[in-house]
């Protein structure tokens, strides 16, 4: 049985590009043995046995050193093993595990449920699809039964709903890109987790954690914790478990062509600065790979560890991306992965935009330091946060 399980576990990941699973910066073996500290020894020292006391002290020191080794999460860990290392906050572990469980269910529903339109619209005036509302219900029900969430709200139900618990509040986009489900493009769930019971009068920098799940050929759960380094990817296995397959800690600069998903290209008609930036991308042979879904468009930056995502406004094309449900959570993922962001037309991080309304929207740029600097130089004429000129 053990041999069969091991063979199943290996076969479930062999289809992945090894560089995506084990980048040079994280070259730890998936099957590497874990070092587990044994229980502390108890030796009663006395003046009659000084050597025994010294031996006991040495053993305790060795145990302490070995315990330090296992305080770092490893590629190949389960989600539960990772969270046990990444945070001491048990309630935060529960929220992140709950959202992973909900994502697993949504992944199945996306593959099998109707994506037909309905006669419903949300309070923002957006048409809701059947799959939107199904994903929304799964997430609300899951958070309510976690008993550690005070309030939750979503793009479909943008007013906070009491969850009956205490500890955190969660804002989420249940199915970003749902309008392209019928074309079988990848879509995703986005969420931000804030301590306490407020979802306005806050900033993205106050998040305890954030994440997104991408439902595509593979289902991946990507999370970042405010107090733990890196951005971490988990792959859904055949048995329903989540396997830690990648850690991203640096968004590098382009070597040749870079990937650039340029959103809202309609804005180039009456936003000359954005038009010039797009011209730069074309002239320098960037790969303009835009799917229409924010999750897959940003996820490729995390996987490739380079690139830039832009979604810009103009006098005739208004901002569509909501700070609470999309921009701030993804901002934490990108910046914990070593990237940067520019938001709200104010040349500030997406994490520093004050959230004063549930429907607050913004333009955004995510990417490496040089790419975000270039974005600000083209759009605003300067980049005061990044004093070195872009090359």
């Amino acid at each position: 049985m053990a041999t069969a399980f091991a063979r199943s576990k290996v076969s479930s990941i062999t289809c992945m590009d090894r560089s995506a699973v084990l980048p040079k910066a994280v070259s730890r073996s998936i099957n590497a043995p874990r070092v587990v500290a044994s229980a502390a020894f108890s030796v009663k020292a006395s003046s009659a046995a000084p050597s025994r006391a010294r031996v006991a002290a040495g053993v305790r020191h060795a145990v302490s050193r070995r315990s330090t080794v296992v305080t770092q999460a490893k590629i190949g860990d389960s989600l539960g093993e990772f969270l046990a290392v990444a945070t001491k906050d048990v309630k935060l572990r529960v929220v992140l595990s709950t959202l992973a469980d909900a994502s697993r269910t949504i992944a199945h529903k996306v593959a099998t449920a109707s994506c037909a339109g309905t006669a419903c619209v949300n309070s923002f005036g957006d048409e809701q699809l059947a799959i939107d509302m199904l994903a929304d219900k799964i997430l609300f029900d899951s958070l309510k039964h976690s008993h550690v969430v005070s309030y939750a709200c979503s793009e479909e139900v943008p007013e906070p709903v009491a969850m009956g618990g205490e500890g955190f509040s969660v804002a989420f986009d249940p199915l970003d890109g749902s309008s392209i489900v019928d074309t079988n493009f990848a879509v995703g769930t986005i969420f931000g987790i804030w301590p306490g019971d407020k979802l306005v009068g806050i900033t993205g920098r106050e998040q305890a954690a954030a994440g997104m799940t991408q439902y595509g050929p593979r289902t991946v759960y990507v999370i970042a914790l405010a107090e733990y380094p890196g951005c971490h990817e988990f792959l859904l296995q055949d048995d329903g478990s989540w396997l830690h397959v990648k850690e991203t800690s640096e968004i590098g600069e382009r070597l040749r062509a870079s990937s650039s998903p340029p959103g809202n290209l309609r804005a180039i008609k009456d936003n000359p600065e954005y038009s010039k930036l797009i011209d730069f991308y074309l002239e320098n042979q960037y790969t303009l790979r835009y799917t229409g879904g924010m999750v897959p468009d940003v996820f490729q930056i995390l996987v490739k560890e380079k690139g830039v995502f832009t979604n810009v406004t103009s006098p005739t094309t208004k901002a569509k991306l909501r700070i609470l449900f999309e921009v701030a959570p993804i901002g934490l993922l990108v910046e914990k992965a070593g990237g940067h962001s520019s938001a709200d037309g104010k040349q500030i991080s997406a994490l520093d935009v004050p959230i004063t309304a549930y429907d607050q929207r913004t333009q955004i740029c995510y990417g490496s330091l040089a790419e975000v600097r270039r974005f600000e130089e083209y759009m605003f004429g300067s980049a005061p946060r990044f004093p070195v000129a872009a090359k």
Side-chain angles (χ1 to χ4, degrees):
M1 180 66 72
T3 302
F5 175 79
R7 185 179 301 114
S8 173
K9 183 174 180 180
V10 172
S11 64
S12 67
I13 64 171
T14 52
C15 64
M16 294 181 289
D17 180 349
R18 183 171 178 82
S19 63
V21 179
L22 296 175
K24 292 181 180 179
V26 196
S27 57
R28 292 169 294 212
S29 170
I30 285 182
N31 295 316
R34 296 188 183 90
V35 178
V36 180
S38 57
F41 289 87
S42 176
V43 178
K44 185 176 181 180
S46 68
S47 57
S51 59
R52 184 179 302 175
R54 285 195 296 271
V55 170
V59 170
R60 285 193 294 269
H61 178 66
V63 170
S64 175
R65 289 181 61 190
R66 285 186 289 169
S67 298
T68 301
V69 173
V70 295
T71 59
Q72 189 174 18
K74 298 178 179 65
I75 300 300
D77 281 350
S78 68
L79 177 62
E81 289 169 333
F82 170 84
L83 292 175
V85 172
T87 178
K88 296 179 180 179
D89 192 323
V90 176
K91 289 186 176 182
L92 184 57
R93 294 180 201 169
V94 171
V95 179
L96 288 165
S97 297
T98 296
L99 290 165
D101 291 343
S103 294
R104 184 192 305 112
T105 303
I106 294 171
H108 174 71
K109 298 300 183 182
V110 166
T112 59
S114 168
C115 60
T118 71
C120 301
V121 294
N122 63 17
S123 61
F124 297 147
D126 302 324
E127 183 183 10
Q128 293 175 302
L129 300 176
I131 188 63
D132 282 329
M133 294 183 290
L134 184 57
D136 203 55
K137 183 178 187 303
I138 290 169
L139 286 160
F140 271 117
D141 287 350
S142 297
L143 292 172
K144 185 173 183 179
H145 287 95
S146 74
H147 306 295
V148 295
V149 176
S150 300
Y151 292 93
C153 67
S154 75
E155 281 202 352
E156 312 305 327
V157 184
E159 297 78 21
V161 177
M163 294 288 100
E166 184 177 344
F168 294 93
S169 292
V170 181
F172 58 89
D173 182 350
L175 204 62
D176 176 73
S178 57
S179 62
I180 57 175
V181 170
D182 57 351
T183 63
N184 212 24
F185 283 15
V187 294
T189 296
I190 306 170
F191 59 85
I193 303 168
W194 279 264
D197 56 7
K198 291 173 56 180
L199 288 171
V200 290
I202 55 176
T203 67
R205 204 167 293 281
E206 297 171 50
Q207 291 174 101
M212 62 185 185
T213 308
Q214 178 167 293
Y215 313 109
R218 303 182 302 150
T219 297
V220 292
Y221 183 65
V222 185
I223 59 174
L225 288 77
E227 297 184 356
Y228 192 78
C231 180
H232 301 268
E233 177 187 341
F234 297 83
L235 177 66
L236 183 61
Q237 302 293 286
D238 290 340
D239 64 359
S241 63
W242 296 96
L243 181 71
H244 189 199
V245 295
K246 189 177 191 299
E247 175 184 352
T248 304
S249 57
E250 181 181 6
I251 304 297
E253 309 308 337
R254 68 192 188 101
L255 299 176
R256 288 171 291 184
S258 188
S259 174
S260 172
N264 197 18
L265 280 176
R266 291 184 296 271
I268 66 175
K269 180 180 179 180
D270 54 349
N271 186 329
E273 290 79 13
Y274 193 35
S275 180
K276 292 176 183 177
L277 180 61
I278 298 300
D279 286 343
F280 173 87
Y281 293 154
L282 293 171
E283 291 167 4
N284 288 272
Q285 300 183 333
Y286 279 53
T287 301
L288 304 187
R289 187 181 293 119
Y290 179 70
T291 70
M294 192 175 184
V295 170
D297 286 339
V298 173
F299 183 63
Q300 66 178 303
I301 296 175
L302 301 177
V303 171
K304 305 296 186 183
E305 299 184 1
K306 64 178 181 178
V308 57
F309 172 88
T310 58
N311 194 295
V312 171
T313 63
S314 75
T316 59
T317 58
K318 304 304 180 184
K320 292 181 62 178
L321 301 178
R322 297 173 177 94
I323 298 176
L324 181 63
F325 305 110
E326 299 163 311
V327 172
I330 289 182
L332 184 62
L333 291 175
V334 170
E335 296 198 13
K336 293 297 287 188
H340 295 265
S341 62
S342 179
D344 220 28
K346 299 175 182 177
Q347 296 175 272
I348 60 175
S349 165
L351 300 179
D352 293 327
V353 179
I355 301 173
T356 59
Y358 303 114
D359 190 31
Q360 186 176 342
R361 308 186 188 205
T362 184
Q363 64 179 22
I364 186 65
C365 173
Y366 301 116
S368 68
L369 185 150
E371 293 294 356
V372 175
R373 179 174 55 214
R374 179 178 290 108
F375 171 84
E376 292 194 353
E377 288 173 343
Y378 270 83
M379 298 300 300
F380 310 112
S382 65
R385 292 187 297 147
F386 314 110
V388 179
K391 297 181 180 179

